[in-house]
Amino acid sequence: MKIPSLIALAGIVAVALLIAGCTTPTPPAETTVSLIQTRGTGPMPTLLGTNQIDGYIAWQPTVEVAPLAGIGHVLLYSGDLPPEGMWKNHPCCVLSARTDTMTENPDLVNAMTALTILSTEYVKENPDESAEIVADWLAGKGNFTYGDISVSSVDVLKQAFPTVKFVNDPTDQWIDGNIQFVHALRDLGVLTGSLANSTDEETKLLVFDTNPYYQAQAMIESGTITTPPPAGKEIGIGYLNSDHHAALFVAVKNWQYFNDNYGIALKPVDGTTSRPEKAELIVNGQKVADVRLIPGDAGPQLMQLASTNAIQFAYVGNPPAIAAIDKGTPVKIIMALNTEGSGVVVSNDSPATDWESFVDWAESRSATGKPLVIAAPGKGSIQDVMMRYSLEQSGLSVREG
């Protein structure tokens, strides 16, 4: 009998082990997407138009800039992100306030809440006029310009407005949607403080105070807004340059309407500017506060301002507010400003037309060693959270850009 060589014997053993399942085949290469953070959404069209990124996720109206400027197309709006159905009618921006302001001058908080409710109703009833007001605030009704890219702000806003759902009512469904974001933020490792292990009921107590909303609604229904005592200092209101915060812009620009019809107004000190920086809160003919209107690049920046008491109110995305509360910032979410209103944009040469083909695109690019580069407006922003969660739920690995 001929004895096989050692090499041949080793080969036989290796085949036998493989057949028996005792060896592990090399796993497939991990599909990676590079997620970069920009300061707000402003740089995104330029980056896309100059082929520095393959796509972006943004709040409106930046989503509509790409197709109108001819530099990209909308892959899908935020309510259609995976997992299927999870983000439908998802909470987005909220009105929040510092807890010390709520304690020291509750009538002031109630009045600001009432004005926001009234202005939101105006936005819903007058969408075309409101779109033009927002275009004026953001770009003086001129063009949005990003390097060589230029597109009409009015056209962009009128196309963006139908994708934003302006709502205020803090319904149980809306609150549960925010709790879903808390769960997502936990899964992503963002929450490490008071909300890291809280029960849903504990979370609600830590995050929300909807009493000003119901007080405001009662005043509106009665036809009388309670006059707050004068604020002892200037009040700061933070916001983002997004149509999600149309209620604030419309309240300031149409202050005379709200003053004449409801006895409350946020009157700009200089009514000739497209984007006022100072205003006066007037209730029943009395000035009750000097107000400074402070824009931010993204929600986390506004929450930093709130943490240092530089602003007392913030029109802001819910994840930055939740994350700030988790870290001990003394703020509460009062009510909704809108749901949905964001979207994913990809370059014109992208083969992706839906999320499934986007994943295929990501896999093919990752296999060549050139992962997709997608921009988000700041880590911890609502868009960043949704994109990370959707990518990871689809089996894609996120690499920090």
Side-chain angles (χ1 to χ4, degrees), residues 338-361:
N338 73 292
T339 61
E340 298 197 13
S342 298
V344 180
V345 171
V346 293
S347 59
N348 278 329
D349 60 3
S350 167
T353 56
D354 55 22
W355 187 259
E356 184 177 352
S357 57
F358 176 83
V359 172
D360 291 340
W361 185 35

Side-chain angles (χ1 to χ4, degrees), residues 139-207:
K141 288 191 180 179
N143 285 359
F144 290 128
T145 302
Y146 309 90
D148 295 333
I149 301 163
S150 188
V151 61
S152 165
S153 63
V154 174
D155 289 348
V156 168
L157 265 302
K158 287 188 175 180
Q159 186 160 310
F161 251 56
T163 72
V164 184
K165 301 176 182 179
F166 296 100
V167 297
N168 295 140
D169 191 0
T171 63
D172 290 342
Q173 182 181 7
W174 176 79
I175 289 176
D176 288 343
N178 280 280
I179 297 299
Q180 199 169 42
F181 265 104
V182 172
H183 295 167
L185 288 165
R186 282 183 189 147
D187 290 345
L188 293 172
V190 174
L191 302 182
T192 58
S194 62
L195 299 177
N197 299 296
S198 58
T199 66
D200 288 353
E201 289 306 311
E202 290 169 340
T203 297
K204 291 174 186 178
L205 292 173
L206 288 166
V207 172

Side-chain angles (χ1 to χ4, degrees), residues 96-99 194 206-207 300 302-309 311 320-332:
S96 66
R98 280 183 57 97
T99 53
S194 62
L206 288 166
V207 172
L302 292 181
M303 288 295 95
Q304 276 189 320
L305 294 174
S307 71
T308 60
N309 206 18
I311 60 174
I322 291 168
I325 292 167
D326 173 67
K327 300 299 185 292
T329 300
V331 298
K332 296 282 189 182

Side-chain angles (χ1 to χ4, degrees), residues 159-380:
Q159 186 160 310
F161 251 56
T163 72
V164 184
K165 301 176 182 179
F166 296 100
V167 297
N168 295 140
D169 191 0
T171 63
D172 290 342
Q173 182 181 7
W174 176 79
I175 289 176
D176 288 343
N178 280 280
I179 297 299
Q180 199 169 42
F181 265 104
V182 172
H183 295 167
L185 288 165
R186 282 183 189 147
D187 290 345
L188 293 172
V190 174
L191 302 182
T192 58
S194 62
L195 299 177
N197 299 296
S198 58
T199 66
D200 288 353
E201 289 306 311
E202 290 169 340
T203 297
K204 291 174 186 178
L205 292 173
L206 288 166
V207 172
F208 301 101
D209 185 345
T210 58
N211 185 59
Y213 171 81
Y214 294 108
Q215 293 291 329
Q217 281 286 27
M219 291 192 297
I220 291 169
E221 291 171 8
S222 72
T224 303
I225 307 296
T226 300
T227 304
K233 63 175 184 178
E234 183 179 68
I235 298 298
I237 300 177
Y239 69 91
L240 301 177
N241 284 312
S242 164
D243 53 5
H244 295 188
H245 301 168
L248 175 63
F249 310 151
V250 168
V252 175
K253 291 288 190 176
N254 273 3
W255 71 271
Q256 191 72 60
Y257 168 84
F258 295 103
N259 184 72
D260 294 347
N261 287 277
Y262 302 105
I264 185 169
L266 200 54
K267 180 183 177 182
V269 172
D270 183 357
T272 65
T273 62
S274 293
R275 189 184 302 174
E277 296 180 355
K278 293 183 178 181
E280 297 174 345
L281 180 61
I282 299 171
V283 181
N284 300 318
Q286 298 181 39
K287 186 179 84 168
V288 297
D290 290 311
V291 175
R292 185 174 294 274
L293 305 169
I294 303 173
D297 292 323
Q301 181 192 33
L302 292 181
M303 288 295 95
Q304 276 189 320
L305 294 174
S307 71
T308 60
N309 206 18
I311 60 174
Q312 288 69 50
F313 295 89
Y315 293 73
V316 67
N318 64 330
I322 291 168
I325 292 167
D326 173 67
K327 300 299 185 292
T329 300
V331 298
K332 296 282 189 182
I333 292 175
I334 294 171
M335 67 176 186
L337 292 175
N338 73 292
T339 61
E340 298 197 13
S342 298
V344 180
V345 171
V346 293
S347 59
N348 278 329
D349 60 3
S350 167
T353 56
D354 55 22
W355 187 259
E356 184 177 352
S357 57
F358 176 83
V359 172
D360 291 340
W361 185 35
E363 289 174 347
S364 64
R365 282 284 297 274
S366 190
T368 66
K370 296 181 179 179
L372 294 180
V373 180
I374 306 297
K379 194 166 185 178

Side-chain angles (χ1 to χ4, degrees), residues 10-240:
I12 292 169
V13 172
V15 170
L17 287 172
L18 183 60
I19 293 172
C22 295
T23 62
T24 303
T26 301
E30 187 175 53
T31 298
T32 301
V33 173
S34 181
L35 195 61
I36 69 169
Q37 306 298 328
T38 60
R39 287 181 63 85
T41 64
M44 292 179 178
T46 300
L47 294 172
L48 186 67
T50 54
N51 300 314
Q52 297 181 66
I53 59 174
D54 298 295
Y56 59 76
I57 182 169
W59 57 69
Q60 291 286 23
T62 309
V63 177
E64 306 304 332
V65 168
L68 286 173
I71 59 171
H73 62 271
V74 179
L75 179 72
L76 75 175
Y77 292 104
S78 53
D80 298 320
L81 279 165
E84 185 177 356
M86 177 173 179
W87 305 113
K88 195 70 178 175
N89 292 318
H90 67 81
C92 187
C93 286
V94 298
L95 175 63
S96 66
R98 280 183 57 97
T99 53
D100 52 359
T101 302
M102 299 172 77
T103 300
E104 294 165 7
N105 198 338
D107 288 335
L108 175 67
V109 177
N110 295 343
M112 274 301 305
T113 304
L115 180 58
T116 304
I117 293 170
L118 293 168
S119 186
T120 299
E121 287 304 309
Y122 191 96
V123 169
K124 291 193 289 186
E125 293 171 4
N126 304 276
D128 285 345
E129 179 193 347
S130 298
E132 292 199 17
I133 287 173
V134 176
D136 184 32
W137 190 286
L138 299 183
K141 288 191 180 179
N143 285 359
F144 290 128
T145 302
Y146 309 90
D148 295 333
I149 301 163
S150 188
V151 61
S152 165
S153 63
V154 174
D155 289 348
V156 168
L157 265 302
K158 287 188 175 180
Q159 186 160 310
F161 251 56
T163 72
V164 184
K165 301 176 182 179
F166 296 100
V167 297
N168 295 140
D169 191 0
T171 63
D172 290 342
Q173 182 181 7
W174 176 79
I175 289 176
D176 288 343
N178 280 280
I179 297 299
Q180 199 169 42
F181 265 104
V182 172
H183 295 167
L185 288 165
R186 282 183 189 147
D187 290 345
L188 293 172
V190 174
L191 302 182
T192 58
S194 62
L195 299 177
N197 299 296
S198 58
T199 66
D200 288 353
E201 289 306 311
E202 290 169 340
T203 297
K204 291 174 186 178
L205 292 173
L206 288 166
V207 172
F208 301 101
D209 185 345
T210 58
N211 185 59
Y213 171 81
Y214 294 108
Q215 293 291 329
Q217 281 286 27
M219 291 192 297
I220 291 169
E221 291 171 8
S222 72
T224 303
I225 307 296
T226 300
T227 304
K233 63 175 184 178
E234 183 179 68
I235 298 298
I237 300 177
Y239 69 91
L240 301 177

